[in-house]
Amino acid sequence: MNDWLDRDSTLRGAALALLIANIGIVCTGGLVRLTGSGLGCPTWPSCTDDSYVTTAAMGYHGVIEFGNRTLTFVLSVFAVVALAAAWRQRHKARTALRGAVWVLAGIAAQGVLGGITVRMALNPWTVAAHFLLSMALIAVAVVFWQRTRPEPPRWTAPRAMQAAAVVITAVSAAALVLGTVVTGSGPHSGDTRASRTGFDPEAMSQLHADSVFVLVGLSIAVWFGLRALGAPLRVTRAAAILVLVELAQGVVGFVQYFTGLPWPVVIAHMLGACLVWTATLNLLLAVRPRRVQAEERDHSLASTA
């Protein structure tokens, strides 16, 4: 067992599984809301006042809601494996160890916030916070996964390009926040008893779309800039992937808006939001210099002595 945990491939695989699972649980959470199953289990931490699991009386809404809750345990298993592997390899992966700790703590916080959301009868602001915490978890998972991969050849981007990547990340985050406001103002509340923000859905949709237009424009500009600078292929590819994912997400967004928000398209849009955010962070990490921790540097020097 220890030999398995000592393998670099185990740590990388667990980190990648965590990233994929965090994206997946966002989509299943969307399915809960879009099928009106947000209060399928009307309380927390139990499903009903008398049972910790769904009952026949709860119908398919209870099955969908309880199923989404159960996926938290799957995430936790991946996180524990990743933490165990990072601990076994802590002499050469201190940053990965910290990442594993943060992911596990975030999963616990997400479970608690999900319970608060249920107890507040799907208040749109707690639903938004629940989604945004998932985006924060995805960010930690992306960094964790990147830190478990072999360090690429060093390339230092100009400060202006690094600043542009930070701006893109901020705009991408703003688009996510505005997207939650659109959701909280629209028809898919998760349950007929859930309240709405009271904002005009069309106005919020336009504001969200404007932020996406800005994001796409900045991303295209950075891609051209990196090509002009002769940046390594892995860096220009990160920018190109971001632009392509953004354009695909834009198409899905227009389709869902003009077709009356059918739930399969909305799920695709939620998946796209996760992929845009992941690609944004991938670009940010690609252009920012990777800091070598002192303990990792000491280990490298000791191994070559």
Side-chain angles (χ1 to χ4, degrees):
M1 178 67 174
N2 287 340
D3 290 342
W4 178 66
L5 290 175
D6 286 336
R7 297 174 187 168
D8 291 343
S9 59
T10 299
L11 182 57
R12 286 197 299 271
L16 181 58
L18 267 175
L19 175 58
I20 294 172
N22 271 292
I23 292 174
I25 204 168
V26 170
C27 296
T28 59
L31 182 64
V32 170
R33 177 173 56 83
L34 293 164
T35 57
S37 305
L39 296 178
C41 286
T43 188
W44 184 88
S46 60
C47 185
T48 69
D49 291 334
D50 302 318
S51 175
Y52 276 91
V53 299
T54 186
T55 64
M58 308 307 298
Y60 74 91
H61 290 306
V63 173
I64 293 174
E65 162 65 2
F66 185 74
N68 187 62
R69 292 188 184 190
T70 304
L71 289 178
T72 300
F73 294 101
V74 176
L75 269 177
S76 300
V77 169
F78 288 144
V80 169
V81 171
L83 181 59
W87 175 258
R88 290 286 301 177
Q89 302 180 44
R90 63 189 182 279
H91 60 287
K92 59 179 180 180
R94 291 296 178 99
T95 54
L97 176 59
R98 283 194 289 272
V101 171
W102 277 110
V103 169
L104 190 58
I107 291 171
Q110 183 70 304
V112 173
L113 182 55
I116 293 173
T117 300
V118 169
R119 285 187 168 272
M120 294 188 68
L122 306 183
N123 179 285
W125 300 113
T126 57
V127 172
H130 193 46
F131 174 82
L132 293 175
L133 181 54
S134 288
M135 295 300 104
L137 262 174
I138 288 174
V140 174
V142 168
V143 175
F144 176 38
W145 178 53
Q146 291 283 6
R147 293 297 183 258
T148 65
R149 302 172 69 190
E151 186 172 354
R154 292 196 174 276
W155 180 76
T156 302
R159 289 188 178 275
M161 197 58 65
Q162 294 182 38
V166 172
V167 171
I168 285 175
T169 304
V171 175
S172 184
L176 289 173
V177 172
L178 289 171
T180 65
V181 178
V182 175
T183 298
S185 307
H188 294 299
S189 62
D191 191 272
T192 55
R193 294 164 285 180
S195 61
R196 303 281 75 200
T197 65
F199 294 131
D200 177 34
E202 290 192 8
M204 292 300 101
S205 296
Q206 183 61 59
L207 188 59
H208 174 61
D210 291 342
S211 69
V212 173
F213 291 146
V214 173
L215 178 62
V216 173
L218 288 171
S219 301
I220 292 174
V222 165
W223 177 66
F224 276 116
L226 289 171
R227 286 176 58 87
L229 289 168
L233 176 61
R234 63 178 179 82
V235 180
T236 56
R237 185 169 52 205
I241 289 173
L242 175 58
V243 172
L244 291 175
V245 173
E246 288 169 348
L247 293 176
Q249 174 72 334
V251 171
V252 174
F254 278 115
V255 169
Q256 74 165 2
Y257 181 80
F258 289 109
T259 57
L261 302 176
W263 71 263
V265 183
V266 177
I267 289 289
H269 194 60
M270 294 185 70
L271 173 61
C274 295
L275 296 179
V276 168
W277 182 232
T278 300
T280 299
L281 296 168
N282 187 50
L283 174 62
L284 178 66
L285 294 173
V287 301
R288 290 180 65 82
R290 182 167 174 177
R291 297 179 180 178
V292 180
Q293 299 297 318
E295 56 268 27
E296 292 177 350
R297 185 168 56 247
D298 292 345
H299 171 74
S300 177
L301 291 174
S303 64
T304 56

